[in-house]
Amino acid sequence: MSHFIAQPKQGVPFVSVQAMAKLINSLGIENVLLELTHKLETDFARWTEFDKSPRYAAHSPEGVIELMPVSDGQMFSCKYVNGHPKNTFRELQTVAAFGILADVDSGYPVMISEMCLLTALRTAATSALVAKYLAPKNSTTLTLIGNGAQSEFQALAFKAVLGITHIRLYDIDANASKKAFTNLSAYGLNVTICNSVQEAVQGAHVITTCTADKTNATILTNEMIPQGVHINAIGGDCPGKTELDTKLLERANVFVEYEPQTRIEGEIQQMSESFVVTEFHKVVNKQSLGRTSQDELTIFDGVGFASEDFTALVFIRDQLIKSGEFTLLDLITQQADPRNLFSVLNTEQTSAQEHVA
Ligand code: NAD
């Protein structure tokens, strides 16, 4: 089966931010999140087919720049993504990303895409998928601590996948909570803004922590959290950046995406190497029980793994094939004789001369 959307010599299909927003709106965001969750489940089930490695990370005092490669032997993907918590103070995003999908057989790019929106979608769909397996039965209330860029996507994924009806918001910046409240007002959810973490976690079945601060923060303390809750901890995703009290981790059944990466970046960077965690694919593949009782505390220590981006990029590739609507980028040279790369310079010179004339 060809992985290409267009003939490689025609150019590289490109999904701009505008094109991605149009695609999501035309399909409906909740449908996209639901469909993406199914695709993620299918790919987690074939976990052993992926060639995996922890991501490459270039750290600086204010943030991190990462490359996230993965391949299933047929296709290869790589995401460029940063994490700069102070960016919002200069009116830039904390997370900015773009990605590439490529054909392993020829090494040619299949598609290049924006991944700010796509990362938010895949992170929310991954959170909801994990919660589908681990959250207490009949969960209706989700608490969102940290109401920034990711928050509405989280709320809508949990609504679409788990049937969550009530959202409790808390952020140290009240304007962030107001923004999330306004954005969610059209989606039939019962949304409450809370004044503290303590207040926000009252009555929650699932708690998402999605804060951005490059520090070992304690967003949730041990005393705040009763048994029987599922914590979706996704904000702590690089060395020196965590959100949970270690006592919570000690009490909980902890699940991760890819253990070698999460040991470096996740909440469990605070724990010893002997601290036991379960990779989530084992739950999907029924090699692990997942939640063992209704009063167990479960934690998803989610840092974001490359295979989730792969799934999301393939999903978008498939949508472009269906719609037939895409822009082509002149990214790879296309000379008639592949070995005559030099001829491309001559063509450029000719056209420049023609232009001058
Ligand atoms: P953002 O900057 O848009 O939002 C973060 C919010 O957290 C802000 O509104 C901020 O006021 C709030 N916050 C900071 N400290 C807080 C505290 N102590 N209590 C309550 N709220 C607090 O960032 P974002 O794009 O929403 O991302 C949030 C975090 O999630 C980042 O750290 C990012 O790196 C991470 N992230 C993880 C994944 C993953 O797959 N695990 C994916 C995307 C983003």
Side-chain angles (χ1 to χ4, degrees):
M1 183 197 124
S2 169
H3 305 124
F4 289 101
I5 305 163
Q7 290 301 318
K9 286 205 163 195
Q10 290 179 323
V12 182
F14 169 61
V15 186
S16 65
V17 173
Q18 204 183 12
M20 183 67 79
K22 190 176 164 200
L23 183 64
I24 296 164
N25 285 334
S26 69
L27 297 169
I29 185 165
E30 291 181 57
N31 295 330
V32 169
L33 287 162
L34 208 50
E35 188 63 23
L36 204 45
T37 305
H38 291 315
K39 301 280 183 201
L40 285 162
E41 193 168 22
T42 307
D43 281 348
F44 269 109
R46 62 183 190 104
W47 182 253
T48 52
E49 292 175 26
F50 287 95
D51 182 10
K52 301 173 281 292
S53 57
R55 56 188 156 195
Y56 165 79
H59 295 281
S60 58
E62 300 303 348
V64 62
I65 293 176
E66 298 164 328
L67 296 178
M68 302 174 69
V70 76
S71 171
D72 70 348
Q74 307 288 310
M75 278 186 281
F76 167 92
S77 74
C78 185
K79 179 167 83 173
Y80 168 100
V81 62
N82 76 321
H84 284 67
K86 289 188 184 149
N87 266 4
T88 40
F89 302 116
R90 34 185 171 175
E91 298 186 357
L92 296 174
Q93 293 175 107
T94 298
V95 177
F98 62 91
I100 180 162
L101 188 66
D103 172 57
V104 167
D105 192 37
S106 62
Y108 262 55
V110 169
M111 183 182 84
I112 289 185
S113 177
E114 83 78 40
M115 287 195 80
C116 291
L117 287 165
L118 199 54
T119 295
L121 290 165
R122 77 83 155 118
T123 305
T126 303
S127 293
L129 171 64
V130 174
K132 188 178 105 170
Y133 283 88
L134 297 180
K137 281 197 185 73
N138 306 320
S139 293
T140 55
T141 303
L142 167 70
T143 292
L144 288 174
I145 312 288
N147 305 149
Q150 310 301 317
S151 60
E152 296 88 350
F153 297 86
Q154 287 281 321
L156 294 177
F158 277 87
K159 177 184 179 231
V161 178
L162 263 75
I164 287 287
T165 52
H166 289 66
I167 306 285
R168 297 176 69 76
L169 301 172
Y170 174 71
D171 195 294
I172 44 170
D173 178 354
N175 287 329
S177 300
K178 279 185 205 148
K179 175 267 313 175
F181 183 93
T182 306
N183 285 339
L184 291 172
S185 63
Y187 292 92
L189 285 159
N190 187 323
V191 186
T192 308
I193 296 180
C194 303
N195 294 313
S196 65
V197 175
Q198 189 78 57
E199 185 190 335
V201 299
Q202 294 307 309
H205 300 110
V206 180
I207 302 164
T208 290
T209 52
C210 195
T211 63
D213 200 356
K214 208 175 180 203
T215 181
N216 291 115
T218 307
I219 306 296
L220 300 180
T221 64
N222 190 34
E223 297 70 35
M224 285 175 187
I225 308 301
Q227 288 302 106
V229 166
H230 174 64
I231 298 175
N232 175 47
I234 58 164
D237 58 357
C238 83
K241 184 165 165 240
T242 55
E243 297 179 304
L244 302 183
D245 188 340
T246 53
K247 291 200 181 73
L248 277 172
L249 294 162
E250 281 161 9
R251 258 172 66 193
N253 194 353
V254 179
F255 297 83
V256 300
E257 291 139 316
Y258 177 56
E259 189 175 340
Q261 181 176 307
T262 313
R263 290 265 171 215
I264 300 167
E265 303 177 353
E267 296 302 320
I268 58 167
Q269 65 184 272
Q270 306 177 86
M271 312 304 276
S272 74
E273 282 294 314
S274 58
F275 183 75
V276 176
V277 297
T278 305
E279 287 190 343
F280 175 66
H281 64 92
K282 292 187 178 162
V283 183
V284 175
N285 286 320
K286 300 192 171 34
Q287 294 160 351
S288 162
L289 277 179
R291 171 176 286 277
T292 56
S293 74
Q294 277 298 93
D295 66 354
E296 186 175 55
L297 173 65
T298 52
I299 294 178
F300 173 47
D301 185 1
V303 294
F305 186 61
S307 67
E308 296 152 21
D309 299 312
F310 177 100
T311 306
L313 286 166
V314 172
F315 171 75
I316 295 300
R317 190 274 318 251
D318 292 347
Q319 299 309 317
L320 295 195
I321 289 173
K322 274 187 211 160
S323 71
E325 278 182 39
F326 46 84
T327 310
L328 291 168
L329 275 188
D330 177 23
L331 191 72
I332 306 290
T333 57
Q334 304 160 28
Q335 67 279 12
D337 175 358
R339 285 170 300 183
N340 197 356
L341 181 61
F342 203 74
S343 67
V344 179
L345 299 181
N346 294 336
T347 314
E348 217 287 315
Q349 200 179 31
T350 311
S351 54
Q353 280 168 354
E354 278 167 6
H355 181 72
V356 171

